[in-house]
Amino acid sequence: MDGDSPGVRVDGSRVFYVLNPEGDLHRTQENFEGFVCGQQAWRGIVGRRPMNHECEYGLSANDIFVYFGHGGAEAYIQRTQVRGLRRCAVALLLGCSSGRLKLAGEYDALGTAMDYMIGGCPALVGNLWDVGDKDIDRFAASMLRKWGLARFSDGAIEVGYEPACDDNGKQKDSNDGISDNSNALSLTEAVCNARKACRMPFLTGAAPVVYGLPVYLS
């Protein structure tokens, strides 16, 4: 990583992924397995639970950590491990409530996102509440394309998309909100622009937020 202005730049070829670790998100695995396996330089796990050290390695030895599973991967890496990292990747945690913080009275709020910030994570994408897998897959596909990470893989993202309706009840173009963006966007901009890919943009689309700094791919 390097700290070029106006934000942080990360290498799109240094990715670690965890896809469907519990084995019950079959549609999500079908949607993204070809994509994550399409770049030989990427490393990761598909369809099985990570061992204790694997998520820690994924965060500390790579520039980007992508998690398609339940929650924020708390079941596979302890918060003390995250907080103790000497180096931490940008984290895309696409599970339910992965970005939710819990109030602790007069003390700082608690949550997975805070653990990652303390561990040195430049930026984290997480969901503020529970989301449906089909709609958050649409969001994830759009975000990955708009940020530019999709161009690092020869594999396709196989997310089915039904065109949403505009304010007048007219169906939008089927590529609206999901097509590639040729301009270099920060992760924050990609998240913002990807909300419209959801069938429920004010429910599912409003759940993902970014903690941290603007992050660009190099």
Side-chain angles (χ1 to χ4, degrees):
M1 301 181 190
D2 62 69
D4 290 348
S5 180
V8 177
R9 296 194 175 272
V10 296
D11 186 350
S13 65
R14 295 172 55 84
V15 174
F16 189 90
Y17 54 86
V18 178
L19 174 59
N20 188 24
E22 291 297 322
D24 56 354
L25 297 175
H26 304 295
R27 183 188 298 114
T28 299
Q29 183 170 336
E30 291 174 2
N31 289 341
F32 293 99
E33 185 171 10
F35 165 69
V36 298
C37 296
Q39 166 56 267
Q40 293 184 351
W42 294 359
R43 296 289 181 267
I45 298 162
V46 178
R48 68 167 176 84
R49 295 173 62 93
M51 292 184 285
N52 186 53
H53 69 281
E54 288 182 304
C55 285
E56 185 174 358
Y57 163 80
L59 287 164
S60 62
N62 297 276
D63 277 11
I64 302 169
F65 180 86
V66 188
Y67 174 77
F68 300 93
H70 298 294
E74 298 90 349
Y76 314 116
I77 182 169
Q78 299 178 9
R79 59 182 306 193
T80 53
Q81 290 176 279
V82 176
R83 287 173 171 242
L85 292 172
R86 301 185 66 178
R87 178 186 186 278
C88 186
V90 171
L92 311 180
L93 307 180
L94 298 166
C96 291
S97 300
S98 54
R100 182 181 178 184
L101 298 180
K102 298 179 181 179
L103 298 179
E106 63 184 23
Y107 301 102
D108 292 337
L110 302 174
T112 299
M114 292 298 295
D115 296 333
Y116 277 78
M117 295 298 103
I118 292 172
C121 179
L124 176 142
V125 175
N127 293 309
L128 294 178
W129 49 77
D130 289 356
V131 292
D133 59 337
K134 191 171 182 179
D135 221 15
I136 203 64
D137 283 358
R138 292 190 182 99
F139 166 83
S142 180
M143 176 189 67
L144 293 170
R145 288 170 175 154
K146 290 179 180 296
W147 190 30
L149 191 61
R151 72 174 185 265
F152 286 86
S153 174
D154 293 329
I157 300 175
E158 303 292 344
V159 175
Y161 179 66
E162 300 172 7
C165 295
D166 60 20
D167 294 337
N168 297 319
K170 182 180 178 181
Q171 282 193 336
K172 299 178 181 178
D173 184 83
S174 60
N175 289 325
D176 182 52
I178 277 193
S179 60
D180 293 343
N181 191 323
S182 58
N183 297 322
L185 296 181
S186 70
L187 179 59
T188 309
E189 292 170 315
V191 167
C192 183
N193 291 339
R195 299 184 193 280
K196 68 182 71 172
C198 299
R199 293 290 292 170
M200 296 182 287
F202 301 109
L203 182 62
T204 306
V209 294
V210 182
Y211 295 90
L213 302 171
V215 178
Y216 296 85
L217 290 173
S218 62

